[in-house]
Amino acid sequence: MDYTAKLDAALDRLHEEGRYRTFIDIERKQGQFPHATWRKEDGSEQPITVWCGNDYLGMGQHPVVLTAMHEALEATGAGSGGTRNISGTTVYHKRLEAELADLHGKEAALIFTSAYIANDATLSTLPKLFPGLIIYSDALNHASMIEGVRRNGGAKRIFRHNDVAHLRELLEADDPEAPKLIAFESVYSMDGDFGPIEEICDLADEFGALTYIDEVHAVGMYGPRGAGVAERDRLAHRIDIINGTLAKAYGVMGGYIAASAKMCDAVRSYAPGFIFTTSLPPAVAAGAAASVAFLKTSEGQKLREEHQTQAKILKTRLKGMGLPIIDHGSHIVPVIVGDPVHTKKLSDMLLEGFGIYVQPINFPTVPRGTERLRFTPSPVHGSGEMDALIRGMDELWSHCALNRAELAG
């Protein structure tokens, strides 16, 4: 077996389809986000504005977060020193879990090293806790949810995206005595549409199912205290398990679930992804706790309002240019290009010619033919940054008109 040839073939397929993903080396500047420096392969540097980051509110640069992390680092050192079960639980981890439980109005919370691991570990463990469990999963759920459902060894049903009628059909077709769980998201990150939370909760009540919601792209940004869309819509009490991240609006790292004390206790006791993973560094937990606490306040609400305003302004200006954007009323701003090669070329031209960094989004993250640029405006993107983005998009879109020959050249 020529293993190198197999690797070459696999990578060549991505290059041929225009789906090969490249990383650009950027250096964030403390206190200057969304501005950064692009370090090119030839050793030169170029100032850029980041328009595709998930630090939605700029909390990764906020003094409250940085101060908490500095203090914890000085007090404890770098790492946690072990798994949560073996010396890796500190006052910082407990404080963070208490903040998260309070945020969502739940009895308890459990933190993981990422929201991906939180989804995967929890969803793959639930059938151990509820033998015969059937999981009903939205067709556009995140890869981490899909992986958790796939690995759990239990029964699964996939319902069409946001289609509660199809979900009802699937529920009606199964044994009414079987344990059930409906897994879905509040904000779907690629199109920016919202899940029908209330309708799904109604079905869950009717069919005796648990509810599991991924609020990764909503925590910190929706609701009066930033607990997400379920809080905004006053539905959090109807959700059994809430998954969230500390790496987007909260600007740090990590993921979690919030649920009943017994649910969190059972997951922490049975989930290999929790049991055998070194816990977050105390400084990270401290920064995340400070961020969660800050965004619960009126200052946090002010940031959320500014964030929504910026998203509305950008969508309005892109629509005014006649660009094919998707607008479901969330903060996500996708511009559909529809071809992987063209999307990559447009991304490269924005970066090299205008200092605007927006990563192309291709299959399998989105369906073929819907390749896009996904912009994530924030309160720290000012009018100057917005004007520069609009100028760049206008020049490239109107003068090139996404002509295949020009963009592919």
Side-chain angles (χ1 to χ4, degrees):
M1 171 68 71
D2 188 341
Y3 293 102
T4 300
K6 292 294 184 182
L7 293 174
D8 286 339
L11 293 171
D12 286 345
R13 286 195 299 272
L14 296 178
H15 282 288
E16 289 167 4
E17 295 177 22
R19 293 196 295 117
Y20 181 77
R21 302 182 183 200
T22 58
F23 300 148
I24 76 163
D25 185 0
I26 66 172
E27 181 181 353
R28 286 163 60 108
K29 301 290 187 180
Q30 182 176 320
Q32 297 180 33
F33 186 76
H35 300 289
T37 298
W38 171 28
R39 298 186 182 279
K40 303 181 182 181
E41 292 184 1
D42 63 6
S44 62
E45 298 180 355
Q46 178 179 334
I48 61 171
T49 302
V50 179
W51 274 98
C52 58
N54 287 330
D55 188 357
Y56 288 129
L57 301 178
M59 290 301 293
Q61 305 280 308
H62 199 284
V64 166
V65 175
L66 299 183
T67 297
M69 294 186 74
H70 280 299
E71 290 177 352
L73 183 64
E74 291 298 322
T76 67
S80 68
T83 66
R84 288 293 298 276
N85 297 314
I86 305 176
S87 80
T89 295
T90 70
V91 294
Y92 301 100
H93 297 86
K94 299 299 289 184
R95 186 179 303 157
L96 174 55
E97 288 175 338
E99 284 285 0
L100 292 167
D102 172 76
L103 173 69
H104 293 289
K106 300 299 183 186
E107 293 178 337
L110 193 64
I111 54 174
F112 297 76
T113 51
S114 73
Y116 188 108
I117 298 299
N119 271 333
D120 185 8
T122 303
L123 288 168
S124 63
T125 297
L126 289 175
K128 300 176 186 176
L129 308 175
F130 307 104
L133 179 70
I134 304 171
I135 296 183
Y136 303 80
S137 179
D138 188 286
L140 293 188
N141 276 342
H142 189 264
S144 58
M145 300 175 75
I146 293 170
E147 185 65 13
V149 172
R150 184 189 67 80
R151 288 198 313 106
N152 68 28
K156 64 178 182 293
R157 311 283 186 261
I158 310 301
F159 61 94
R160 291 186 292 270
H161 178 53
N162 280 351
D163 190 335
V164 291
H166 186 219
L167 174 57
R168 170 179 285 280
E169 291 175 11
L170 295 174
L171 288 162
E172 288 176 336
D174 283 319
D175 180 358
E177 299 303 315
K180 302 174 178 66
L181 178 139
I182 305 171
F184 62 108
E185 299 185 34
S186 62
V187 179
Y188 289 85
S189 63
M190 289 301 114
D191 284 352
D193 55 334
F194 294 93
I197 302 175
E198 185 170 18
E199 293 91 334
I200 287 177
C201 288
D202 289 343
L203 283 178
D205 289 345
E206 181 179 347
F207 289 92
L210 296 170
T211 48
Y212 184 108
I213 192 169
D214 180 311
E215 289 255 37
V216 161
H217 289 275
V219 289
M221 296 180 293
Y222 295 87
R225 298 202 309 158
V229 179
E231 181 197 33
R232 183 198 69 180
D233 297 347
R234 299 181 180 181
L235 296 168
H237 64 287
R238 301 184 67 185
I239 303 294
D240 294 293
I241 305 174
I242 297 173
N243 169 277
T245 185
L246 304 165
K248 292 183 170 59
Y250 293 118
V252 193
M253 178 185 175
Y256 64 90
I257 61 168
S260 69
K262 286 188 182 296
M263 182 70 77
C264 288
D265 192 18
V267 170
R268 79 166 185 89
S269 299
Y270 280 86
F274 178 86
I275 295 170
F276 299 104
T277 299
T278 298
S279 64
L280 288 173
V284 172
S291 186
V292 172
F294 177 83
L295 288 179
K296 291 177 182 177
T297 68
S298 59
E299 288 298 310
Q301 181 62 11
K302 181 180 177 182
L303 275 180
R304 282 186 285 278
E305 291 170 357
E306 291 174 356
H307 181 246
Q308 291 293 324
T309 297
Q310 290 297 86
K312 289 176 183 176
I313 291 172
L314 179 57
K315 285 186 283 190
T316 298
R317 296 187 69 175
L318 291 173
K319 286 179 184 177
M321 295 164 56
L323 300 192
I325 79 165
I326 299 175
D327 183 6
H328 290 288
S330 74
H331 61 283
I332 306 293
V333 187
V335 177
I336 303 300
V337 181
D339 177 273
V341 174
H342 298 171
T343 308
K344 177 65 166 62
K345 188 67 175 180
L346 185 54
S347 171
D348 290 344
M349 293 166 74
L350 283 168
L351 181 64
E352 294 165 4
F354 297 89
I356 293 169
Y357 174 42
V358 55
Q359 189 74 6
I361 307 293
N362 297 320
F363 178 84
T365 307
V366 295
R368 296 181 191 275
T370 69
E371 292 82 4
R372 66 198 64 185
L373 298 177
R374 176 181 173 274
F375 296 96
T376 53
S378 77
V380 292
H381 286 89
S383 57
E385 288 85 1
M386 186 85 71
D387 290 343
L389 171 60
I390 294 301
R391 282 195 301 271
M393 288 294 289
D394 184 45
E395 181 172 328
L396 293 178
W397 205 279
S398 60
H399 288 84
C400 296
L402 286 187
N403 180 277
R404 291 180 180 270
E406 287 184 65
L407 284 176

